Amino acid sequence: MNANYFRTLGSVESSFKLLRIVMLSIIVAVLLFAAVIAYWAFNSVEASRQRVYVMDNGKSIMLALAQDHNINRPAEAKDHVRSFLKLLFELEPDEKQIDASIEQATYLGNKASVVRLYTDLKEKGYYNQLIQGDVHQKVEIELSGIQVQMDQSPYYFRAKGRQVLIRSTNVTVRNLDVEGYLIDVARTDNNPHGFMVERFKVLDNRDIETIDRAPDSDKLNL
């Protein structure tokens, strides 16, 4: 009977050893699985951060792979400058639209630069002339027309393009030559590129030409 008793104890002990081995195997497998998932998730997040989307002339989205941060910042800087200029100068004869565009511009440029320009134009009656004259103001500027010096912060930029004022009787084309500086700031929903324009200055905004429109013409291709 003692022999049977010891055989039973040995069998129970073997079962416990087998159970421990199985449990340890399961725990190791779960930890390995969790490690693989964590590694995959980390790589996915890092890969998503390596993409920068830049609007290409407002028509399509250009995907810039940010394998090197220094390579993509110039592209973001140019798009930031163009977005800033469109908010400042691409206006409709609507007071609410003008105020909303200027307010949005303050997210991309410091208020000193934006408010100074806005106040100066407003005091000259510029915005009232747009509204009363039913003038639609557009900005034509290519990324190739924007130069940014990224070797030292603040980053100096200069941008050249055209400003088009569309009236019922004619279209006036103006030269648009501006300069300023960019500083790095935190990215936000209102400032996705993480730049801020400062010391903004209009260098040249002279009329280039005025094109008469036919009285019954609704559109003019420029």
Side-chain angles (χ1 to χ4, degrees):
M1 183 172 179
N2 289 336
N4 291 333
Y5 176 75
F6 285 116
R7 281 198 298 271
T8 301
L9 288 178
S11 178
V12 171
E13 185 177 356
S14 298
S15 298
F16 275 113
K17 287 182 179 180
L18 179 61
L19 181 60
R20 284 196 295 269
I21 292 173
V22 172
M23 293 300 296
L24 287 174
S25 299
I26 293 174
I27 293 173
V28 170
V30 170
L31 291 176
L32 287 175
F33 179 75
V36 171
I37 293 298
Y39 179 77
W40 173 83
F42 176 79
N43 284 342
S44 297
V45 172
E46 286 298 310
S48 67
R49 290 176 179 174
Q50 302 302 315
R51 292 178 173 84
V52 177
Y53 293 90
V54 180
M55 291 299 297
D56 184 15
N57 202 24
K59 297 179 181 178
S60 62
I61 296 181
M62 176 180 65
L63 173 62
L65 295 178
Q67 298 297 333
D68 187 339
H69 179 74
N70 293 327
I71 291 177
N72 290 281
R73 285 304 271 171
E76 289 189 285
K78 288 184 176 183
D79 195 60
H80 184 90
V81 171
R82 184 169 62 181
S83 299
F84 178 72
L85 293 178
K86 282 185 173 292
L87 287 171
L88 282 182
F89 298 111
E90 195 155 282
L91 306 173
E92 298 296 327
D94 184 313
E95 184 176 1
K96 291 184 178 180
Q97 187 273 335
I98 293 173
D99 291 342
S101 292
I102 298 301
E103 182 181 0
Q104 188 64 31
T106 61
Y107 291 108
L108 305 186
N110 66 349
K111 291 186 178 180
S113 294
V114 176
V115 173
R116 182 176 64 249
L117 178 63
Y118 173 75
T119 302
D120 183 53
L121 292 176
K122 188 172 184 179
E123 288 178 350
K124 294 178 180 178
Y126 184 80
Y127 299 114
N128 284 335
Q129 292 175 20
L130 290 182
I131 297 171
Q132 294 175 4
D134 194 26
V135 181
H136 302 264
Q137 185 170 281
K138 306 297 181 184
V139 173
E140 297 178 354
I141 185 165
E142 304 291 338
L143 290 179
S144 58
I146 303 173
Q147 303 299 322
V148 184
Q149 298 177 5
M150 299 295 294
D151 53 336
Q152 182 177 358
S153 179
Y155 314 113
Y156 173 79
F157 73 83
R158 186 166 181 176
K160 297 181 179 181
R162 301 197 313 168
Q163 189 177 358
V164 182
L165 286 78
I166 305 173
R167 303 180 181 88
S168 59
T169 57
N170 60 56
V171 173
T172 300
V173 180
R174 291 177 177 171
N175 186 46
L176 184 61
D177 188 357
V178 302
E179 70 174 2
Y181 292 84
L182 295 173
I183 59 174
D184 294 296
V185 296
R187 297 176 188 266
T188 65
D189 290 341
N190 290 313
N191 188 347
H193 293 126
F195 284 110
M196 181 67 65
V197 176
E198 64 176 14
R199 287 181 277 172
F200 178 74
K201 183 186 299 183
V202 178
L203 300 176
D204 185 18
N205 195 213
R206 293 174 296 176
D207 290 357
I208 299 175
E209 62 177 334
T210 298
I211 306 170
D212 291 331
R213 302 180 64 185
D216 58 348
S217 175
D218 294 328
K219 295 181 181 180
L220 180 67
N221 295 324
L222 297 175

